[in-house]
Amino acid sequence: MGKTVILGCYRFIGIHLCKYLLEKGEDVVGMDWLSDEFLEEQEEKRYSFGRNANFIFMNLDDLPPLSIENATVCIPFHDFLSIDSQEYKLEIASYERLIEQTKCFSSSRFFCFVPIQMQERQEWVSRLQQDLSNLTIILTPTILGSWQRKEDYFQKLLFMKHQPQDLPSRTFMNSDAVFVDDLIKDWEKLQKVNDKILYVKPPLDHQLVEYVKLIFENDTDHLPQIHYLDDQPRYERLWILSNATPPAAGLDNQIKHNKYLSTIGEWKRR
């Protein structure tokens, strides 16, 4: 079985995919820029799968990437986007930095996770198709789960629900959501798809709506003003995930993980 290369292995989607593949005994090359200021909890992420003979890490701040042939290369664009109050935005410098790394992967297949709420999504999708051959673009709704970035809208909801006046004003979003573990469990199946673009949906509709209600314990007086859109991208392939974590279970896991990180942070400050 060939190597899987993960660009951004110590970020949200990257760390989950990395851990999943290593637990299955596969060879993984993880690449990242450890100097990035928003790369959070680096040490805890490295410890999450420990020392592993099947894992090679490359800090792209210091070393050029390895020349690798016949690899499966995963680029989760979610992990490299800047987040404002409305949408995910891809900076041109971030894009060019990522594409530059792909030049050393000959005869490889590329998988790019792209959020449907990314600004100028169609333009970026077209550019990806021009810059990368043998490419599958996986469009996703909101992805939830442990290791989400602190500036992510839904992390802020978890931390700020008792100060509703300070909640970020993000008002338009798709009503669907997938939990990252459910997405990763379909990784092998997604690799067998021949479509150039597909859109991932959860088996349960309106997951995000239920998730937000649970955060606020169905307190309708303090729910943020979110206008949910059902703007499924018009592409030829719709992919329904095999597994659906119930929103209550997914939220519970995320709260427990946040408490764990908070405890670790308090211990380090002593």
Side-chain angles (χ1 to χ4, degrees):
M1 188 175 295
K3 285 183 169 61
T4 299
V5 178
I6 302 173
L7 277 171
C9 64
Y10 287 139
R11 302 170 196 244
F12 174 37
I13 299 174
I15 190 72
H16 282 274
L17 181 57
C18 200
K19 185 177 180 181
Y20 174 79
L21 293 174
L22 290 173
E23 287 175 350
K24 294 177 69 69
E26 299 190 22
D27 293 326
V28 176
V29 177
M31 298 181 177
D32 218 323
W33 292 268
L34 296 186
S35 63
D36 278 8
E37 61 181 1
F38 61 84
L39 188 56
E40 303 157 344
E41 287 98 15
Q42 296 180 29
E43 187 176 12
E44 284 71 32
K45 289 174 180 174
R46 289 195 291 270
Y47 288 155
S48 68
F49 50 79
R51 296 175 182 268
N52 194 304
N54 294 338
F55 181 65
I56 297 173
F57 173 68
M58 297 198 67
N59 181 359
L60 296 175
D61 292 315
D62 303 326
L63 299 170
L66 291 170
S67 178
I68 301 175
E69 295 183 355
N70 301 312
T72 299
V73 182
C74 176
I75 308 176
F77 274 89
H78 301 67
D79 295 344
F80 294 94
L81 302 177
S82 60
I83 303 174
D84 61 24
S85 62
Q86 292 295 323
E87 293 182 289
Y88 298 97
K89 183 178 181 181
L90 180 60
E91 305 290 349
I92 185 65
S94 296
Y95 178 83
E96 291 177 345
R97 183 175 69 165
L98 287 166
I99 294 302
E100 181 66 26
Q101 306 309 316
T102 67
K103 295 179 180 178
C104 62
F105 307 131
S106 59
S107 304
S108 295
R109 187 174 181 193
F110 296 91
F111 292 86
C112 294
F113 289 100
V114 175
I116 62 169
Q117 292 177 175
M118 185 170 75
Q119 289 182 11
E120 301 175 338
R121 182 190 72 226
Q122 292 182 338
E123 289 82 355
W124 284 116
V125 165
S126 297
R127 182 162 180 178
L128 274 170
Q129 291 173 321
Q130 294 173 7
D131 290 338
L132 296 176
S133 58
N134 201 8
L135 166 69
T136 296
I137 293 174
I138 303 172
L139 296 170
T140 74
T142 297
I143 301 178
L144 305 167
S146 58
W147 298 119
Q148 274 185 286
R149 288 157 56 182
K150 291 178 181 177
E151 67 266 35
D152 185 276
Y153 179 75
F154 297 98
Q155 281 288 71
K156 288 182 178 179
L157 287 186
L158 284 173
F159 286 110
M160 301 171 64
K161 66 177 183 177
H162 298 300
Q163 296 89 34
Q165 70 279 4
D166 298 326
L167 286 172
S169 57
R170 185 173 182 172
T171 55
F172 296 94
M173 60 187 66
N174 190 279
S175 63
D176 284 330
V178 299
F179 286 96
V180 65
D181 289 335
D182 296 336
L183 178 65
I184 298 305
K185 286 175 183 176
D186 269 19
W187 174 245
E188 288 90 352
K189 296 177 183 178
L190 289 169
Q191 290 180 73
K192 297 176 183 177
V193 175
N194 293 321
D195 299 83
K196 297 299 183 183
I197 303 178
L198 55 93
Y199 174 56
V200 166
K201 273 180 66 71
L204 302 175
D205 290 332
H206 309 302
Q207 287 268 75
L208 191 61
V209 180
E210 296 304 315
Y211 179 83
V212 172
K213 287 181 180 178
L214 287 168
I215 289 177
F216 289 87
E217 300 172 346
N218 290 306
D219 181 359
T220 56
D221 292 335
H222 295 98
L223 285 175
Q225 296 299 310
I226 299 175
H227 299 281
Y228 295 103
L229 308 173
D230 288 310
D231 56 343
Q232 178 182 317
R234 295 182 180 179
Y235 292 109
E236 59 272 14
R237 182 65 182 269
L238 177 65
W239 183 273
I240 307 296
L241 292 176
S242 305
N243 190 57
T245 298
L251 177 60
D252 184 60
N253 289 336
Q254 196 163 353
I255 290 173
K256 288 179 179 177
H257 185 262
N258 287 344
K259 288 182 178 178
Y260 161 76
L261 292 179
S262 178
T263 301
I264 294 295
E266 290 175 3
W267 180 80
K268 286 184 176 181
R269 289 190 290 271
R270 292 179 180 176

